[in-house]
Amino acid sequence: MKVIIIGGGWAGCAAAITAKKAGAQVILYEKTDMLIGLGNVGGIMRNNGRYTAAEELINLGAGDLIKITDSHTRHKNINFPGHEHAWLYDVNLVEPSVRNHLQSMGIELHFMTRVVDVEKQNNEIIGIYLSDETYIKGDVFIETTGSTGPMGNCLRYGNGCSMCILRCPAFGPRVSISARAGVEDLQGEREDDVYGAFSGSCKLCKESLDKGLLKEIEEKGSVVLKVPPEDINIDKLKLKVCQQYALREFAENIVLLDTGHIKLMTPFYPLDKLRKIHGLENARFIDPYAGGKTNSIRYLSVAPRNDDMKVKGLDNLFCAGEKSGLFVGHTDDRYSKLQ
Ligand SMILES: Cc1cc2nc3c(=O)[nH]c(=O)nc-3n(C[C@H](O)[C@H](O)[C@H](O)COP(=O)(O)OP(=O)(O)OC[C@H]3O[C@@H](n4cnc5c(N)ncnc54)[C@H](O)[C@@H]3O)c2cc1C
C-alpha cells in the first residue's frame, strides 16, 4: 500500500507515523523546508484536558510525537490565564528531532515540494501533480495541508501577509487538495460574517527584553504584565482562534511565555503601545515578522469528512489536523489522526 501524505505539519507527521506502523510505504510532501508547520511557533502542551489526551495517545501506542515534545520541555506544570498545568516545549529545537524520527522509521520525506492538483477517476484519486508538473501515483492519500494560506486570504480576511512560518511568498500557497478533487471546503466564520480567525500569539526576540524581565520569565515560564488602561481593547478578543484565550485577562494583561522565544499571547500588538510597558521598551517581533500589525488567518479550508476521517464523496482521500475540523492545538491535530 502506497500512502501519500500532503503537508508535513503535526497532523501530516502523525499520519505518516501511523501509516508506517501499519506497514504501508509512506511518502510525505511538504512545501516548505521544515516539518511540523505551525508547530514551529506553538509550544504550549498538556494544558487542561490536553494532559489526558497526551496520556491517552501514549497509552494507545501513538505517543511518538508527544514523547518528542516532552523531551524538549522548557517548563512543566505552569499556570497562566485559561491554562492549568501547561508544559512548554522549545519551538527552536523540536523540528529536527521530529525529522530524525520520521527518517529513522523509513518514511520518505520530500521538502520544498508543493502538491498542486490531483487526477481522479470516479470517486478515487489516482495520482497527484507537483508544482513542477511531476505526476505521482498512489493508493491512499491523506491531506494535512492545514487551514492557513494562501497569502491572498490573509490580505482579504486579515490585515495583510504577516510573514508567518508558512512563508507563502517563498514556498508558494497552500492548495486545498480536497477542493481540487471536487469537494467544496467548509470555512470558519468570526463575528460579522467574516471568514477565518486570527492566530492567537506572536513571538518577541529574547535579546530585546529587559534583562530582569527576561530572567523572571526564564525562571517562572510565564509572566503577566498590566496593559495601560488607555490601551485595553476588549473587542480584539473576537478576532482570536482559541476561545481559551478569549478571556478578559488577555485584553487587560500582556501574557508572556518562555518557549525558546518569548511568546506573547495576543494575535498582534502595535509596537509603540507594546514599548510603553516596563521591560518591553526595546521589544521587537521575531514571529510573525509583522506581529505589530497582523497575524496569519486560519480556518479557511476544512474538508467535510466522516468519523473515519475520510473526505465525503471520495473513496481514498483522508484528512487530519486543522484540515479536518476546527481544531486549535498540537495535541488536537494529532489526536484527530488517531480516530
Ligand atoms: C502562532 C500560533 C501559535 C500556536 N500555539 C499553539 C500552542 O501553543 N499550543 C497548541 O497546542 N497549538 C498551538 N497552535 C495551533 C497548532 O500549532 C496548529 O493547530 C497545528 O500545528 C496545526 O497542524 P496541522 O498539521 O493541521 O497544520 P499546519 O501546521 O498548518 O501544517 C500544514 C502543512 O502543510 C504544508 N502544505 C500546505 N499546502 C501544501 C501543499 N499544497 N503541498 C505540500 N505541503 C503543503 C504547509 O507548509 C504546512 O507545513 C498555534 C498556532 C499558531 C499559528
Side-chain angles (χ1 to χ4, degrees):
M1 179 76 68
K2 182 173 168 185
V3 176
I4 293 188
I5 313 231
I6 304 145
W10 278 133
C13 293
I17 293 170
T18 308
K20 190 70 192 175
K21 284 183 183 171
Q25 176 195 359
V26 184
I27 308 173
L28 184 152
Y29 295 99
E30 165 54 44
K31 78 177 171 88
T32 72
D33 52 0
M34 286 168 100
L35 290 176
I36 77 169
L38 305 181
N40 287 298
V41 292
I44 307 170
M45 295 290 293
R46 288 178 172 266
N47 58 296
N48 310 348
R50 289 177 182 156
Y51 190 92
T52 318
E55 289 301 312
E56 250 181 66
L57 280 167
I58 292 168
N59 282 290
L60 289 167
D64 304 47
L65 297 174
I66 299 286
K67 286 178 189 161
I68 292 174
T69 42
D70 280 358
S71 72
H72 289 292
T73 295
R74 294 182 66 85
H75 300 276
K76 273 187 193 176
N77 291 322
I78 62 165
N79 297 325
F80 51 93
H83 293 69
E84 300 292 320
H85 54 75
W87 294 25
L88 305 179
Y89 69 75
D90 194 316
V91 294
N92 293 318
L93 300 178
V94 76
E95 192 270 348
S97 297
V98 174
R99 189 187 290 229
N100 291 340
H101 186 64
L102 266 63
Q103 277 167 339
S104 72
M105 291 180 76
I107 294 164
E108 197 179 313
L109 301 177
H110 294 268
F111 291 97
M112 297 200 273
T113 313
R114 197 163 62 96
V115 180
V116 292
D117 210 350
V118 298
E119 191 195 10
K120 212 176 98 176
Q121 226 170 54
N122 303 318
N123 291 339
E124 278 206 3
I125 294 182
I126 309 297
I128 51 165
Y129 288 96
L130 308 181
S131 55
D132 66 0
E133 294 181 7
T134 309
Y135 175 69
I136 293 138
K137 283 189 162 203
D139 300 308
V140 170
F141 299 82
I142 305 178
E143 185 188 359
T144 45
T145 57
S147 66
T148 316
M151 191 176 140
N153 280 334
C154 295
L155 294 167
R156 196 171 308 130
Y157 305 116
N159 297 338
C161 169
S162 64
M163 294 171 238
C164 79
I165 189 70
L166 294 176
R167 298 160 289 162
C168 299
F171 295 111
R174 181 185 56 77
V175 174
S176 172
I177 300 305
S178 48
R180 297 303 307 161
V183 179
E184 206 181 320
D185 275 332
L186 306 169
Q187 290 178 309
E189 273 182 27
R190 56 186 196 260
E191 295 221 343
D192 307 325
D193 299 334
V194 180
Y195 288 122
F198 276 90
S199 294
S201 66
C202 325
K203 312 287 171 308
L204 300 173
C205 169
K206 274 196 170 183
E207 290 77 5
S208 69
L209 264 61
D210 167 79
K211 283 197 169 48
L213 175 62
L214 179 60
K215 188 165 176 274
E216 191 183 346
I217 304 172
E218 287 188 326
E219 273 167 19
K220 295 184 184 164
S222 78
V223 163
V224 178
L225 303 174
K226 285 255 163 295
V227 167
E230 69 278 15
D231 290 340
I232 294 174
N233 179 359
I234 300 288
D235 272 356
K236 205 167 149 194
L237 298 175
K238 295 177 189 160
L239 301 174
K240 287 187 167 196
V241 163
C242 310
Q243 288 308 297
Q244 63 192 350
Y245 303 154
L247 303 170
R248 239 192 130 76
E249 286 112 304
F250 284 98
E252 292 170 346
N253 299 293
I254 289 282
V255 179
L256 300 172
L257 309 175
D258 174 21
T259 59
H261 298 304
I262 297 303
K263 181 163 171 147
L264 169 62
M265 300 292 281
T266 173
F268 52 90
Y269 205 98
L271 194 59
D272 53 346
K273 290 187 178 171
L274 192 66
R275 287 182 174 175
K276 281 163 68 178
I277 297 166
H278 180 60
L280 302 178
E281 290 84 353
N282 299 315
R284 65 173 283 183
F285 288 97
I286 204 160
D287 163 75
Y289 237 48
K293 181 185 174 192
T294 188
N295 211 321
S296 52
I297 302 291
R298 285 154 64 201
Y299 306 126
L300 292 167
S301 171
V302 172
R305 52 133 176 123
N306 64 21
D307 287 343
D308 300 323
M309 310 306 283
K310 200 187 281 185
V311 175
K312 284 188 179 166
L314 294 163
D315 292 340
N316 65 343
L317 179 64
F318 293 78
C319 62
E322 285 192 12
K323 182 71 211 215
S324 67
L326 302 176
F327 295 112
V328 298
H330 308 325
T331 321
D332 328 9
D333 294 309
R334 278 174 264 171
Y335 205 78
S336 75
K337 188 60 218 85
L338 192 73
Q339 287 183 340

